């Protein structure tokens, strides 16, 4: 069976996002032939509460609108998802480097555990797309590992890796995953290319040989 998914989205609580609703997302997703779409920003408490009030689990880890006003929205499922931005210092260079990841959660219990982690790390969770400040690349890897340990079905996906703010983007001056993670976590299986990425060029990077390439909208 072929399933079309879009795993990177945002709510109105993220910067530069306006007038977004679950109903609109589901409607447009259906028009575009998308079966599963990310909720965006599920670790932001206000949006998490809204999601819990308006979604119901219809398949394990997949949710649909409780109140579906149009038949076109009935086929679209949501997965609990957020984007996190890790920043860290790179030895010998000025400024901070940036590492964006998409994180998928299988349940609201897993989401709540993620919120507790952010609180434990002292993250100011005041926007839908939280920034997590780290001192070193090793700390980035360790914290991503802690996210993955919340539940075996939590998925962490490096985001838009070939756009300017991605790992291999022009603003980062990074040439390998190890510069970001210290060591690549074993439970990362896919990378998001970015809509403007050249997949043929990415396929020439040996470090990416064992990853599945995905492409999502990063809906704003």
């Amino acid at each position: 069976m072929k399933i079309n998914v879009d795993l990177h989205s945002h709510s109105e609580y993220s910067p530069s996002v306006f007038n977004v609703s679950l109903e609109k997302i589901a409607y447009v997703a259906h028009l575009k032939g998308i079966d599963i779409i990310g909720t965006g920003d599920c670790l932001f408490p206000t949006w998490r509460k809204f999601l819990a009030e308006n979604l119901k689990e219809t398949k394990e880890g997949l949710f649909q609108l409780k109140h579906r006003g149009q038949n076109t929205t009935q086929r679209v499922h949501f997965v609990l998802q957020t984007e996190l931005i890790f920043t860290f210092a790179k030895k010998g260079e000025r400024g901070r480097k940036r590492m964006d990841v998409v994180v998928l959660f299988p349940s609201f219990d897993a989401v709540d555990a993620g919120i507790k982690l952010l609180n434990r790390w002292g993250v100011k969770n005041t926007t839908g797309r939280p920034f997590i400040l780290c001192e070193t690349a090793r700390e980035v890897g360790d914290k991503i590992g802690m996210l993955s340990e919340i539940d075996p079905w939590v998925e962490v996906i490096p985001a838009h890796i070939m756009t300017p703010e991605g790992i291999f983007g022009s603003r980062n001056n990074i040439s390998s995953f190890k510069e970001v993670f210290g060591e690549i976590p074993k439970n990362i299986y896919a990378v998001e290319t970015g809509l403007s990425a050249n997949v043929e060029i990415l396929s020439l990077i040996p470090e990416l040989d064992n990853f599945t390439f995905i492409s999502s909208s990063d809906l704003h």
Side-chain angles (χ1 to χ4, degrees):
M1 180 181 6
K2 184 177 180 180
I3 297 176
N4 296 315
V5 299
D6 183 348
L7 300 178
H8 190 168
S9 181
H10 288 285
S11 75
E12 61 189 28
Y13 297 102
S14 279
S16 303
V17 182
F18 305 98
N19 197 24
V20 171
S21 71
L22 294 177
E23 290 80 7
K24 288 180 180 178
I25 291 173
Y27 177 70
V28 174
H30 171 78
L31 294 181
K32 293 181 177 292
I34 295 170
D35 304 294
I36 301 171
I37 190 164
T39 61
D41 305 346
C42 67
L43 295 184
F44 186 67
T46 308
W47 188 239
R48 182 254 182 253
K49 182 175 182 290
F50 180 83
L51 294 174
E53 291 172 348
N54 289 275
L55 295 178
K56 62 180 180 180
E57 189 172 28
T58 54
K59 298 180 181 180
E60 189 174 8
L62 295 177
F63 299 79
Q64 286 184 302
L65 291 168
K66 286 182 180 178
H67 309 292
R68 293 170 286 180
Q70 303 181 58
N71 291 333
T72 53
T73 65
Q74 294 181 9
R75 300 176 187 175
V76 176
H77 286 81
F78 290 88
V79 61
L80 301 172
Q81 168 264 323
T82 194
E83 180 182 26
L84 298 175
I85 300 175
F86 291 85
T87 68
F88 63 98
K90 186 178 178 184
K91 189 175 181 179
E93 294 191 17
R94 292 183 177 182
R96 298 182 66 82
K97 304 303 176 184
R98 174 170 168 165
M99 163 67 179
D100 297 10
V101 296
V102 170
V103 188
L104 310 178
F105 296 88
S107 66
F108 281 105
D109 286 343
V111 167
D112 291 340
I115 293 173
K116 288 180 180 177
L117 263 185
L118 294 187
N119 292 335
R120 190 167 129 199
W121 295 339
V123 176
K124 294 180 179 179
N125 198 4
T126 56
T127 178
R129 189 176 54 180
F131 281 76
I132 301 170
L133 273 61
C134 300
E135 291 301 317
T136 63
R138 173 68 67 182
E139 186 179 345
V140 174
D142 289 345
K143 286 183 173 176
I144 286 177
M146 293 169 72
L147 279 167
S148 300
E149 290 168 2
I150 287 173
D151 186 285
W153 290 103
V154 168
E155 292 285 344
V156 179
I157 303 169
H160 44 70
I161 64 173
M162 206 177 178
T163 56
E165 292 177 341
I167 292 178
F168 298 114
S170 58
R171 297 181 186 173
N172 263 328
N173 190 27
I174 292 171
S175 58
S176 76
F177 271 131
K178 286 188 177 181
E179 291 182 49
V180 177
F181 295 117
E183 291 294 332
I184 302 173
K186 295 179 180 179
N187 45 3
I188 291 181
Y189 306 105
V191 294
E192 181 189 62
T193 62
L195 291 180
S196 60
N198 186 320
V199 178
E200 291 185 5
I201 291 178
L202 282 175
S203 68
L204 299 176
I205 301 175
E207 196 176 35
L208 301 179
D209 286 348
N210 295 323
F211 293 99
T212 298
F213 289 174
I214 69 168
S215 181
S216 296
S217 67
D218 193 359
L219 183 154
H220 278 258

